[in-house]
Amino acid sequence: MTGGNRGIGTEVVRLLRDLGLEVFLGSRDLQAGSVAATSLGLTGITPVRIDVADPSSVAAARDSLAPEGIDVLVNNAAIYPRGHVTLDDVERAWQVNALGSWRVTQAFLPPMQKRGWGRIVNVSTGLATDAHALSGGGIYPVTKVVVNAMTRALAEDLEGTGILVNACSPGWCRTAMGGAGAPRSATQGAAGLVWGVTLPDDGPNGGFFQDGEPLSW
């Protein structure tokens, strides 16, 4: 689980642990991840430092879990630049939101392929659909359009391997990113992501969903 130290990420960690899964709470700042894990008051949660924009950090996180790796990956880490967005902001958003998801997936995919089973959930947004005007979203929805495209491509590549890859939107939630005026709680948003984790073996692959319901690309 990347971006697990706050908001929807922490709620996903809690819900997965409630299901009995051993959870690795990934965060760019290990101390923040440790605080988040402690705040949940649950056993079976291990903080792991992973900066998805840094290849060496991703490799170190992967190696710390080798050779078993993980069965489930939730690519949740993202940033949402606001205000006057500079070229550096755009580059950072690309590295974290888009390329970061791909980088982490490629690092943690081989053990899933070896076992012939896995679930990959790429956290997306309704802002990235053709049904929604992209105005006002800045670079954030653009990076999530790329995440959606990568989801479809990876799902096609892994068809028949036992690994299901889907994009899931938590919706507009009351978090540091979503703001206090959002209509949904972090728990509601997290539940839609956990749905993607808990799909049966004959579940959908290469789709885009919110609360288990298909979204338009």
Side-chain angles (χ1 to χ4, degrees):
M1 173 83 202
T2 66
N5 61 293
R6 65 179 185 174
I8 292 170
T10 302
E11 280 299 296
V12 170
V13 170
R14 182 179 65 80
L15 293 176
L16 292 178
R17 186 59 196 139
D18 286 346
L19 292 174
L21 278 68
E22 180 182 2
V23 183
F24 296 98
L25 188 160
S27 62
R28 184 168 61 89
D29 183 328
L30 183 58
Q31 182 177 0
S34 298
V35 169
T38 300
S39 72
L40 292 171
L42 300 170
T43 61
I45 301 173
T46 303
V48 175
R49 182 185 183 277
I50 180 168
D51 180 350
V52 303
D54 181 357
S56 62
S57 175
V58 173
R62 176 202 61 205
D63 293 347
S64 73
L65 302 179
E68 294 84 1
I70 55 178
D71 295 307
V72 169
L73 173 62
V74 181
N75 282 309
N76 176 64
I79 58 174
Y80 195 153
R82 289 179 169 85
H84 177 67
V85 177
T86 67
L87 185 58
D88 286 344
D89 294 329
V90 171
E91 172 64 19
R92 178 67 179 170
W94 167 255
Q95 287 293 335
V96 174
N97 301 1
L99 192 56
S101 294
W102 183 261
R103 182 181 290 120
V104 174
T105 298
Q106 294 304 308
F108 287 93
L109 183 59
M112 295 186 196
Q113 293 175 300
K114 185 176 181 179
R115 283 190 292 272
W117 195 93
R119 299 291 182 267
I120 299 172
V121 174
N122 292 323
V123 179
S124 187
T125 173
L127 294 173
T129 71
D130 289 339
H132 192 287
L134 295 182
S135 60
I139 187 61
Y140 179 76
V142 175
T143 61
K144 293 300 186 177
V145 169
V146 175
V147 168
N148 286 354
M150 291 192 299
T151 297
R152 298 173 76 175
L154 185 61
E156 183 176 344
D157 288 345
L158 295 174
E159 184 70 37
T161 66
I163 302 170
L164 302 181
V165 187
N166 291 286
C168 292
S169 169
W172 183 16
C173 299
R174 293 186 293 277
T175 63
M177 181 182 289
R184 292 164 62 88
S185 69
T187 301
Q188 286 175 298
L193 308 184
V194 172
W195 172 86
V197 169
T198 57
L199 287 172
D201 290 344
D202 61 351
N205 184 43
F208 185 21
F209 302 92
Q210 181 174 313
D211 299 332
E213 298 297 326
L215 291 176
S216 167
W217 292 106

